[in-house]
Amino acid sequence: MEQGQNVVPLNLLIDYLVQKTYHDLIVLSELLPRKSDTERKTSIYQFSNRTQLQFIRLLALVKWACKASRVDKCTEIIMFLDKQSALFVETADNLFNISKERLKNASFPVYGLPTAVDVLMTGTYSRLPLCIKDKIIPSLTLSDKERSDTLTKLTSLIEQRLVLSKIPIKYKTVEIGHGFVTLTVPHEFSVRLTVPNDDFKNPWRLLSFDVLVQKPKDDDPRPVVHLQQKEYLTELLQSRLFDPDQEPLENLCIVAHQFCLLLQLEILYQQALKMTNAPWKNNRIQVIEHIPGNRLSIRYWNGVMNLATPAAILVIYLPDGDPLDSLKLDHRPDICKIPNRDTVKLDLSRLSMDNLLMDTIEHRSYELLAKVRDRLALEKDVEIIALSCDELVTMLQGRIKLKFFVDHFTGFIICSCNFSIVLGEITKAVNDNSPLSEALNKIRMRVDLILIKNALLIHQIRHHLVPFTLHNQVTSELLSSVTAALYIRFKSNADYCLAVDLQNRKLRYLLLKLEPLINTPDNKHTVINRITACTEVKDISVFSIIDIDTMTPIDVIMKMERAILYINLEQEWKKKGQKCLGIIPQGGNWCLKLLNLPTNHPVLKQLLMDLTVHVHCVSPPVIKYSLVFDTNHKMLPSNTCGVVQTLYSNSLKLVVENFSQKWKEIHFLFTLLYNFQSLKNTSLGRIKLYNFHSIVLTYTVDNVEFECFINLRQTKYRLVFYQSRGGRPNPHCLVREHLEHELGTHQSIFKLLYTLQRTAHLCSISYRLPKVSYWGLDKASSLCRSLWTCFPHSANTFRLLYRNCLALDITCYQEDEYCVRDAAAAPTSRGSKFSPVKLLGKMLETIAKKVDGATVEVLVTTAFSTDQGAKYPGASPQPATPSFSAPAGQGSVPTPQNQPNTPGYPGTPVYNQQPNTPGYHNPSPASKPQPSPQNPGTFVQPAPSPMGAPSPAVISSLMSPQTPQYMPPSPAAVPSPSGYMQQPSPSGAQHLLGSPNYRAPNSGQSAAPGYGVNPSPTNSAKPAPRTPHRPNTSLFVNRTMLETLLSNSYNPFTSDNINILPDKRRCSVLENMLSACLLKRYIASLIPDKIRSLTIRSNELMATSLHHETCFYRFSIDANNFQFLSLSVTPTKDGFWNKSMIDTLVVYFAEKIAVNPFKYNALLSFLRILGAQKDILQQFINIMSFELKPDPRFKWRMSWLLLVPPTVQSTNNLLQPGITGALFSSNKILFFIRLDHVSRPHDPVTIPMVYEITSGTTKRADLMPNDYMAQRIQQRFRQATNLIMEQGREKCCQLLPVTRKRITLILF
């Protein structure tokens, strides 16, 4: 079997099987209905079984086909071998046949001896037949000269023949040359003729015939005449030249011309058929008649629209008379001629039915537009701008530009306008030949509405101009007569709508009162506006004095919206019960006059001269209130501003409420001013400025003048403290919220000024506390923290917190009397957090002996956990209250405090609320419910504290709000039972702190007489039983003592060059003492928890002694000044310690560890070294000595880093910056060395090093690959070493060897 035979493709087999199954299934479906049920089941079973077997075979075949490639290869190999074997057999058979049969008859031919003799002897062969020469060898050709002479003679013969012949005029071009003549009819055909000889009786010989009829480039690219047609035409034309009775050239021209006309008509017909599909589809163009070789009729504008003009027809036909005439055009009906333009002609140079039809339509369009022009010329206010075959441009009223143009496909006249309006009426009128007056009037009305809308947008008046649903329930002739209106809904007041009506082109304005009507069909809310009232704007009283007819719509709308706001505002005031004078015109606008405002202050009522309400802005509504006061009253300052103007932007109801609240604030401030101006003693300060809604006070502290701004916001006093003219900050800004609380309680500017004068020095000292933040102060050393934190607990009490461990409470009673207490002794739930400052009293006594004028008095009392009004009994005497009196002839002025709610002041809030002030506010977290100490799960509300208790404004999170007895009362706020103004009690004034008759009792004695509250009827009752608490020491100091204690400008115990921080800041006496106490406390707390090799030998008040295997370390505070913590070393074994080592250790502790502010982790590193073994301690003492006394021979200075520097980068946060710089393991120590150079002062080199205790050597990290800590610091170590090497190469010094040797010697 040969390859390729009996092979069927697999896809063909699958298709065949599928089609056969489908065919059988169709046949089965047609035959089954005719059979019985049993036969149907049998047929279905047989069909299923047969089909299944076929597809099983197909499946097996498909699976086999997956491996058919191997079978094919084997088959090819077998076929190749078979073919090769057949060739071998066939070759053998053929050889045998040749040898046995053909070779027997083979013999040499007879040699041609004569031919050979002739060729060899003569060199030629002369025995060939002579006919070969005649048939094969060509004759001799003409020379160039002979050829030129022949063509010249032939040309002259052609010219003579043409002169004797009749040449038709159709031939536009006759060219003679090269022995032939070319006759051409442009855009039709071209022929070439010649003569065979000089006999004129012989016919013309036709050389070529060319058809010049062309189609458009986008038409069918095939040639117009194919080759067979051209050959036939050539033969036909040659036959016409043989007739000697007629003119041959004329017959040739007629036949060729007729053929070209038929060809042109057929081309136009084919193009017309294509145009009926696209874009002239939908019967817009139709071929109504086509007679081949005769005519072609095309109908356009085929009645697609209901036009007044009937469909037009274009006819293209062949002329009947002259056979040499061209195609003719006929238009039905006739078309007019466009000025300055030729009539419609057929362009034979490029036959295009599309161009011919478009040229015809342009003439038709011009005719239609000319008729529209004539109709528009009869209307008024219409100006004809231009008319062309494309469009007609007109101008209506000088601003409405109308353009009319004809749709080329339908012949429908379309109108456009420069305004976005509906033009359906005018379009229909111009096409139906109906009157245009009504349509033009509608255009004018719509344009007027658009101009009104555009004017609204230009003036930025934001209204709802979109149409909305109106439901009319008002029977009104005005509303029923509205035809074309523009509904404008005001955004500032959605209850009104302005309808602008255009009747007979006259504007009319209607004001509609709307009410939302909600329907819920199919559970979908649909809002419909219901008209409840309709009024013409002219009939409104506000517009009665305005001529609306002379106003533009914009002015009317703006006036209308403003008037609606005035009307609604007047209604809101009337709802409040306020009498109004009404809306009156003012300066081309309106204003609302109010007669009076509610007040129970007779003077304020007299001062109010005028109250006017203006609508400052409409959208959004902004209402302006103008109050005019009489400033000539004797109680007012000379520079008082009598005009108060306020702006409110909100709903009108809230505007009325806000202004009512503003009037109450004016009332409160005026009462505050009036009471202060009624006093005679005003030496504490004066009122610099008053404008009825704010007060500016000026007061002098230490010859520096400060200003305080007072106003009210929502019945809460607000104070703003300004810096002095010299730029000095006002320290009272620390207690601003407490002063606001006090002012809201006592309602007195005089008491406020007294408090400012009394607490000025304490605030100034607290304000000047250092605010510098330091890094690495505590365990969480990744953040920067400040040393001091100041918490004002009240206007005269501050808590000074040092490093979040030590705290002092300072209370001011007079300008020169202060009470200092240790916060650790306070009976608070968190009092145990603070460490007690036990050396404070001794240090103050030392300062009193050293500084002239500094005094201190000690009082040991017992604090109690109940009785809020008796904090520190015996230690909280009532200070003297400055005396003042009302002017003669005037009584006490009623205030909101003694008259919380009067009939003359409607809406006045109750001012006896806790803490009985309109300025009370509670922004502090302490005012919120706090967990009770007995039950942390429950919350209790702190009781309202009287003035002098800790203000809830700023309370530290470190104290509990459940210990009110902890804070002393404010002397300026103790309420008096005799009235608003009270004279101070003489008995309280003679027992003031710091008075000559005061003596400090012993700790076991009770409080001295007269140290309680002032005797008054309210305090005559027996006090409640008190629960004793731990004793507390109160230190009463004067101003000089407090200045010496907290000021950093003067330290009586240190010289000018001692205890100056690196930031050039000098520490105060208190800071040095607290730093020394805290450092001593940390030393005692770290032993033996952190350092087990050291034990505490003794821990006294002034000193702490530690025991080491070689010595005793004693850390003691200097008893002469309490400013420093010093270290002393007492050896216990001879031979190890020497004087140089002890001096190095003492000096290093004083300069590196105990310097203020000390670092917790640095102290831990130092103590770890102190508790190390003898050899390690000795090596680190050598490092300290090298750091304190550097060798001048080396340019690099080495120092030991007590903390991990920030430059160290460690993965997994193993080494965080700021932790202790001496890390001990079982047999290794990690520490850091810093190298500084003069050339790079801000770029030191940090080297982490690991010291092996067992071998006593220091190795690089890469020498210990199994050590986890060394692997962590390996990269940083290598970088530092490479950097040192680069520095050494640049400076050409032996830096690297010296540094390595030095470090190695130090560690050994």
Side-chain angles (χ1 to χ4, degrees):
M1 182 180 66
E2 295 183 359
Q3 184 178 4
Q5 295 180 357
N6 300 327
V7 177
V8 179
L10 181 61
N11 59 348
L12 180 61
L13 182 60
I14 295 174
D15 291 342
Y16 172 76
L17 186 56
V18 171
Q19 292 177 6
K20 183 178 179 304
T21 304
Y22 177 74
H23 174 72
D24 294 343
L25 185 60
I26 295 299
V27 173
L28 183 63
S29 63
E30 294 178 354
L31 297 178
L32 285 179
R34 307 174 186 176
K35 299 180 181 181
S36 62
D37 184 49
T38 303
E39 294 176 350
R40 283 197 297 268
K41 293 180 180 178
T42 303
S43 300
I44 293 174
Y45 173 76
Q46 293 176 355
F47 170 75
S48 302
N49 189 17
R50 184 174 62 256
T51 306
Q52 183 181 8
L53 293 176
Q54 292 177 355
F55 277 97
I56 288 174
R57 296 190 186 97
L58 178 63
L59 179 61
L61 183 61
V62 171
K63 291 182 178 180
W64 174 84
C66 297
K67 302 179 180 179
S69 59
R70 301 178 182 176
V71 178
D72 292 341
K73 292 181 180 179
C74 294
T75 303
E76 291 177 357
I77 294 173
I78 293 173
M79 292 175 62
F80 175 75
L81 294 177
D82 293 342
K83 186 177 180 180
Q84 189 177 27
S85 178
L87 291 176
F88 290 158
V89 172
E90 184 180 0
T91 302
D93 293 342
N94 292 335
L95 291 176
F96 178 78
N97 188 17
I98 292 172
S99 64
K100 294 298 182 181
E101 296 179 1
R102 297 181 184 179
L103 291 180
K104 292 181 180 182
N105 301 323
S107 61
F108 287 103
V110 180
Y111 296 108
L113 294 178
T115 304
V117 171
D118 291 341
V119 172
L120 292 176
M121 295 298 293
T122 62
T124 61
Y125 184 69
S126 59
R127 299 178 185 272
L128 292 176
L130 295 177
C131 62
I132 296 176
K133 181 177 180 181
D134 298 336
K135 298 294 184 181
I136 297 176
I137 298 175
S139 59
L140 298 176
T141 59
L142 298 177
S143 62
D144 293 339
K145 184 177 179 182
E146 293 175 346
R147 186 181 298 107
S148 176
D149 295 340
T150 302
L151 291 178
T152 302
K153 185 177 181 180
L154 186 60
T155 300
S156 61
L157 292 175
I158 292 174
E159 291 178 353
Q160 295 177 9
R161 185 90 176 253
L162 289 177
V163 171
L164 298 177
S165 302
K166 181 180 180 182
I167 302 176
I169 60 174
K170 196 68 177 177
Y171 295 116
K172 302 298 182 182
T173 304
V174 178
E175 297 180 357
I176 303 174
H178 301 287
F180 60 86
V181 59
T182 303
L183 303 177
T184 304
V185 177
H187 310 301
E188 290 188 8
F189 64 91
S190 174
V191 294
R192 286 184 178 182
L193 302 176
T194 185
V195 292
N197 47 41
D198 54 356
D199 188 4
F200 288 171
K201 292 182 181 181
N202 293 331
W204 290 88
R205 182 65 59 87
L206 179 62
L207 300 180
S208 64
F209 171 72
D210 298 326
V211 179
L212 303 181
V213 178
Q214 297 181 359
K215 297 185 296 184
K217 292 182 180 181
D218 55 351
D219 207 346
D220 192 356
R222 292 178 297 178
V224 178
V225 179
H226 54 78
L227 184 58
Q228 294 180 357
Q229 290 178 338
K230 189 174 182 181
E231 292 178 355
Y232 172 76
L233 290 174
T234 304
E235 295 177 359
L236 179 61
L237 295 177
Q238 182 64 51
S239 64
R240 296 295 182 181
L241 295 176
F242 290 156
D243 191 358
D245 298 333
Q246 298 181 1
E247 294 293 334
L249 296 181
E250 185 175 0
N251 292 339
L252 175 66
C253 182
I254 292 174
V255 174
H257 175 66
Q258 291 295 325
F259 173 75
C260 292
L261 292 183
L262 295 176
L263 187 60
Q264 292 173 357
L265 189 63
E266 188 65 23
I267 292 175
L268 294 176
Y269 171 68
Q270 295 297 331
Q271 293 180 1
L273 291 179
K274 291 183 179 180
M275 293 173 61
T276 55
N277 296 326
W280 299 81
K281 57 184 178 178
N282 298 330
N283 294 329
R284 293 179 178 176
I285 182 174
Q286 184 178 5
V287 179
I288 59 176
E289 184 183 11
H290 175 234
I291 302 175
N294 190 355
R295 65 176 56 240
L296 173 65
S297 300
I298 299 174
R299 179 164 57 195
Y300 54 94
W301 294 355
N302 192 18
V304 177
M305 309 298 291
N306 187 14
L307 302 175
T309 304
I313 299 175
L314 173 63
V315 180
I316 307 172
Y317 62 95
L318 271 69
D320 296 335
D322 190 1
L324 296 179
D325 201 355
S326 301
L327 293 177
K328 299 296 183 181
L329 300 178
D330 186 16
H331 301 278
R332 302 174 187 173
D334 297 336
I335 59 175
C336 64
K337 183 181 179 181
I338 301 177
N340 300 326
R341 185 170 177 177
D342 297 336
T343 58
V344 181
K345 292 182 180 180
L346 183 60
D347 187 8
L348 299 178
S349 61
R350 186 72 63 180
L351 287 177
S352 175
M353 191 67 191
D354 193 4
N355 295 339
L356 176 61
L357 191 59
M358 291 303 299
D359 193 9
T360 305
I361 289 175
E362 288 181 358
H363 284 74
R364 291 288 184 191
S365 301
Y366 180 81
E367 181 181 359
L368 294 179
L369 294 177
K371 294 180 180 179
V372 176
R373 177 197 59 184
D374 298 337
R375 294 172 60 190
L376 290 173
L378 302 176
E379 302 294 334
K380 296 181 180 179
D381 300 334
V382 177
E383 180 184 0
I384 308 299
I385 303 300
L387 173 62
S388 64
C389 59
D390 296 328
E391 63 180 0
L392 170 63
V393 183
T394 62
M395 188 68 69
L396 182 62
Q397 291 184 347
R399 59 185 178 185
I400 306 173
K401 190 175 184 179
L402 296 177
K403 292 184 178 180
F404 299 90
F405 56 92
V406 180
D407 187 0
H408 291 170
F409 298 106
T410 61
F412 190 74
I413 301 176
I414 303 174
C415 180
S416 65
C417 182
N418 56 342
F419 294 94
S420 299
I421 58 176
V422 179
L423 300 173
E425 294 85 355
I426 187 65
T427 303
K428 184 178 179 181
V430 296
N431 286 281
D432 295 345
N433 293 328
S434 58
L436 302 177
S437 302
E438 183 177 357
L440 293 176
N441 289 333
K442 291 182 179 180
I443 290 176
R444 295 186 183 98
M445 295 172 61
R446 292 186 182 121
V447 170
D448 290 340
L449 293 178
I450 289 178
L451 292 177
I452 295 175
K453 291 181 182 180
N454 294 339
L456 293 177
L457 297 176
I458 292 174
H459 289 77
Q460 298 181 356
I461 302 177
R462 299 178 180 178
H463 303 87
H464 292 288
L465 299 177
V466 296
F468 47 90
T469 306
L470 294 176
H471 181 70
N472 185 14
Q473 290 189 351
V474 178
T475 304
S476 174
E477 297 180 357
L478 293 174
L479 191 60
S480 61
S481 61
V482 175
T483 56
L486 173 66
Y487 294 95
I488 301 173
R489 191 170 186 178
F490 302 104
K491 190 174 183 180
S492 59
N493 196 330
D495 296 337
Y496 291 92
C497 173
L498 184 64
V500 182
D501 187 19
L502 291 170
Q503 278 191 346
N504 298 327
R505 300 191 62 197
K506 292 184 179 180
L507 294 176
R508 188 176 58 159
Y509 305 95
L510 301 177
L511 182 62
L512 306 180
K513 176 68 175 177
L514 303 181
E515 179 180 349
L517 178 64
I518 300 178
N519 299 329
T520 57
D522 300 333
N523 296 328
K524 294 182 179 179
H525 295 277
T526 303
V527 179
I528 301 177
N529 298 280
R530 179 174 58 189
I531 302 176
T532 59
C534 178
T535 308
E536 192 168 1
V537 175
K538 291 182 179 180
D539 300 335
I540 302 176
S541 59
V542 178
F543 286 88
S544 59
I545 59 176
I546 301 177
D547 188 6
I548 299 181
D549 296 335
T550 60
M551 298 173 60
T552 62
I554 301 303
D555 296 336
V556 174
I557 294 172
M558 296 176 64
K559 288 283 186 182
M560 193 68 245
E561 190 170 12
R562 190 177 295 271
I564 291 175
L565 290 177
Y566 276 110
I567 295 172
N568 293 338
L569 190 61
E570 183 181 9
Q571 293 176 358
E572 290 293 335
W573 277 110
K574 288 181 179 180
K575 291 179 183 178
K576 297 282 291 185
Q578 180 65 39
K579 297 181 181 180
C580 302
L581 188 60
I583 303 173
I584 60 176
Q586 184 182 26
N589 207 332
W590 300 290
C591 66
L592 178 63
K593 290 287 186 178
L594 301 180
L595 294 179
N596 53 16
L597 290 174
T599 178
N600 55 2
H601 204 296
V603 180
L604 181 61
K605 185 181 295 185
Q606 294 176 4
L607 294 179
L608 182 60
M609 300 174 59
D610 184 33
L611 174 57
T612 307
V613 184
H614 297 274
V615 177
H616 185 71
C617 183
V618 176
S619 180
V622 178
I623 310 302
K624 177 181 177 182
Y625 287 85
S626 298
L627 293 89
V628 180
F629 295 92
D630 184 11
T631 58
N632 296 325
H633 196 273
K634 60 181 180 179
M635 301 301 294
L636 297 178
S638 59
N639 57 349
T640 301
C641 179
V643 179
V644 178
Q645 295 182 352
T646 57
L647 298 176
Y648 300 97
S649 176
N650 212 322
S651 63
L652 296 182
K653 184 177 181 180
L654 291 179
V655 165
V656 173
E657 294 293 338
N658 293 338
F659 180 74
S660 300
Q661 187 67 32
K662 181 65 178 179
W663 174 248
K664 294 176 186 178
E665 296 173 1
I666 294 175
H667 170 81
F668 293 152
L669 281 179
F670 182 78
T671 303
L672 206 64
L673 172 76
Y674 188 85
N675 294 338
F676 179 75
Q677 293 292 93
S678 300
L679 303 178
K680 294 181 180 180
N681 185 8
T682 59
S683 60
L684 297 178
R686 64 182 180 88
I687 295 179
K688 181 180 180 180
L689 180 63
Y690 173 68
N691 56 4
F692 287 92
H693 57 78
S694 62
I695 301 175
V696 178
L697 299 177
T698 59
Y699 61 97
T700 303
V701 177
D702 295 337
N703 298 326
V704 179
E705 187 178 75
F706 294 100
E707 293 183 358
C708 176
F709 178 83
I710 306 174
N711 70 340
L712 275 87
R713 293 180 183 177
Q714 298 179 358
T715 67
K716 296 178 183 179
Y717 286 103
R718 294 290 184 270
L719 300 180
V720 179
F721 294 95
Y722 299 106
Q723 63 181 6
S724 64
R725 293 184 178 180
R728 180 176 176 181
N730 195 328
H732 285 105
C733 61
L734 298 176
V735 292
R736 177 182 60 83
E737 295 182 354
H738 297 281
L739 293 175
E740 291 174 355
H741 175 79
E742 290 188 5
L743 179 61
T745 303
H746 54 63
Q747 294 282 321
S748 174
I749 296 179
F750 186 83
K751 291 185 178 182
L752 174 63
L753 290 174
Y754 177 72
T755 304
L756 293 176
Q757 293 288 348
R758 181 167 50 89
T759 61
H761 184 64
L762 177 59
C763 293
S764 178
I765 292 179
S766 302
Y767 191 84
R768 294 198 305 267
L769 287 176
K771 302 178 180 61
V772 183
S773 298
Y774 296 92
W775 175 73
L777 292 180
D778 49 8
K779 297 179 181 179
S781 55
S782 60
L783 301 177
C784 294
R785 303 181 185 275
S786 178
L787 295 175
W788 291 95
T789 306
C790 179
F791 294 103
H793 286 175
S794 66
N796 60 337
T797 302
F798 285 86
R799 169 168 289 182
L800 304 182
L801 187 62
Y802 181 74
R803 297 184 67 157
N804 204 20
C805 295
L806 306 177
L808 297 178
D809 292 332
I810 304 177
T811 304
C812 173
Y813 288 97
Q814 285 187 353
E815 294 186 14
D816 199 31
E817 295 294 338
Y818 304 91
C819 178
V820 182
R821 298 182 180 89
D822 186 5
T828 62
S829 59
R830 297 186 180 180
S832 60
K833 178 180 180 180
F834 304 121
S835 300
V837 187
K838 299 179 180 179
L839 300 179
L840 180 61
K842 295 182 179 180
M843 187 186 68
L844 293 180
E845 292 177 359
T846 305
I847 295 176
K849 295 178 183 179
K850 192 166 184 70
V851 179
D852 296 337
T855 61
V856 58
E857 297 179 0
V858 183
L859 176 64
V860 180
T861 60
T862 302
F864 298 91
S865 60
T866 60
D867 191 5
Q868 181 182 0
K871 301 183 183 67
Y872 297 108
S876 302
Q878 176 64 30
T881 305
S883 62
F884 54 85
S885 60
Q890 297 204 11
S892 176
V893 179
T895 63
Q897 185 175 357
N898 51 36
Q899 292 185 4
N901 196 358
T902 58
Y905 201 136
T908 303
V910 180
Y911 298 123
N912 57 0
Q913 301 173 0
Q914 59 178 5
N916 192 19
T917 170
Y920 177 76
H921 64 97
N922 200 355
S924 173
S927 63
K928 300 179 180 179
Q930 299 291 336
S932 119
Q934 294 80 10
N935 187 6
T938 60
F939 286 82
V940 294
Q941 180 72 21
S945 60
M947 195 58 209
S951 172
V954 181
I955 295 182
S956 172
S957 61
L958 303 178
M959 62 178 296
S960 172
Q962 309 303 326
T963 57
Q965 67 273 22
Y966 175 63
M967 297 304 301
S970 175
V974 177
S976 174
S978 59
Y980 183 74
M981 301 180 181
Q982 176 195 351
Q983 295 289 340
S985 173
S987 60
Q990 63 183 357
H991 296 290
L992 294 176
L993 295 178
S995 59
N997 58 353
Y998 168 72
R999 295 294 182 266
N1002 296 328
S1003 61
Q1005 297 178 355
S1006 62
Y1011 277 64
V1013 297
N1014 286 340
S1016 61
T1018 58
N1019 296 329
S1020 60
K1022 184 178 180 180
R1026 301 168 182 172
T1027 303
H1029 204 271
R1030 56 185 176 181
N1032 180 61
T1033 302
S1034 300
L1035 304 174
F1036 298 94
V1037 299
N1038 61 355
R1039 179 172 179 176
T1040 304
M1041 177 64 73
L1042 186 66
E1043 183 72 24
T1044 305
L1045 187 66
L1046 294 176
S1047 177
N1048 54 9
S1049 61
Y1050 170 69
N1051 192 330
F1053 303 108
T1054 59
S1055 61
D1056 294 338
N1057 298 326
I1058 296 179
N1059 199 22
I1060 298 180
L1061 297 182
D1063 56 0
K1064 305 302 180 182
R1065 180 180 66 84
R1066 189 184 299 273
C1067 299
S1068 64
V1069 176
L1070 180 62
E1071 184 176 353
N1072 289 332
M1073 189 269 293
L1074 295 179
S1075 177
C1077 293
L1078 188 60
L1079 181 60
K1080 175 184 171 299
R1081 174 176 175 267
Y1082 280 159
I1083 293 174
S1085 64
L1086 290 174
I1087 307 298
D1089 294 337
K1090 299 290 184 180
I1091 306 171
R1092 298 180 179 179
S1093 59
L1094 296 176
T1095 58
I1096 298 178
R1097 182 185 181 190
S1098 64
N1099 188 13
E1100 302 172 356
L1101 179 63
M1102 299 289 292
T1104 296
S1105 179
L1106 304 180
H1107 176 260
H1108 188 257
E1109 62 179 354
T1110 61
C1111 64
F1112 293 103
Y1113 300 109
R1114 178 180 175 84
F1115 300 90
S1116 60
I1117 300 176
D1118 190 357
N1120 296 325
N1121 50 28
F1122 306 94
Q1123 299 292 293
F1124 307 104
L1125 181 68
S1126 59
L1127 170 65
S1128 62
V1129 182
T1130 303
T1132 58
K1133 294 183 180 181
D1134 297 336
F1136 176 74
W1137 291 94
N1138 53 37
K1139 187 176 183 303
S1140 175
M1141 294 172 59
I1142 295 176
D1143 293 342
T1144 299
L1145 196 63
V1146 170
V1147 174
Y1148 190 87
F1149 176 79
E1151 295 185 1
K1152 301 296 182 179
I1153 307 300
V1155 63
N1156 192 16
F1158 69 90
K1159 308 294 180 63
Y1160 174 85
N1161 289 326
L1163 174 64
L1164 180 58
S1165 300
F1166 183 77
L1167 292 178
R1168 284 179 176 177
I1169 297 302
L1170 293 184
Q1173 301 176 5
K1174 293 190 301 181
D1175 52 349
I1176 298 176
L1177 177 62
Q1178 182 178 4
Q1179 300 301 328
F1180 274 92
I1181 292 177
N1182 292 336
I1183 294 176
M1184 298 176 191
S1185 177
F1186 188 82
E1187 179 179 355
L1188 296 175
K1189 299 178 181 179
D1191 193 341
R1193 295 177 299 173
F1194 300 108
K1195 296 183 180 180
W1196 288 83
R1197 181 175 179 179
M1198 186 183 69
S1199 60
W1200 173 37
L1201 296 179
L1202 298 172
L1203 303 178
V1204 176
T1207 57
V1208 174
Q1209 302 292 334
S1210 175
T1211 59
N1212 299 329
N1213 295 327
L1214 180 65
L1215 298 177
Q1216 296 183 357
I1219 65 174
T1220 177
L1223 301 177
F1224 283 68
S1225 63
S1226 59
N1227 60 346
K1228 297 180 182 67
I1229 301 176
L1230 172 66
F1231 63 98
F1232 297 88
I1233 297 297
R1234 186 179 67 184
L1235 300 177
D1236 297 277
H1237 197 271
V1238 180
S1239 62
R1240 41 191 302 167
H1242 302 291
D1243 189 14
V1245 178
T1246 303
I1247 305 177
M1249 309 187 71
V1250 177
Y1251 176 71
E1252 286 189 357
I1253 300 177
T1254 57
S1255 61
T1257 59
T1258 301
K1259 298 181 179 181
R1260 290 181 56 179
D1262 54 358
L1263 299 179
M1264 297 182 300
N1266 297 326
D1267 187 81
Y1268 177 75
M1269 185 178 300
Q1271 291 176 359
R1272 290 293 181 183
I1273 64 174
Q1274 180 180 3
Q1275 183 178 2
R1276 180 63 184 172
F1277 190 94
R1278 186 180 295 107
Q1279 292 177 357
T1281 305
N1282 295 335
L1283 182 61
I1284 295 174
M1285 294 177 64
E1286 293 176 1
Q1287 294 291 334
R1289 293 193 190 100
E1290 292 178 0
K1291 301 184 179 299
C1292 299
C1293 66
Q1294 300 296 327
L1295 178 63
L1296 180 61
V1298 172
T1299 303
R1300 289 182 175 179
K1301 182 178 180 181
R1302 188 62 181 172
I1303 295 175
T1304 304
L1305 292 176
I1306 289 173
L1307 295 179
F1308 279 84

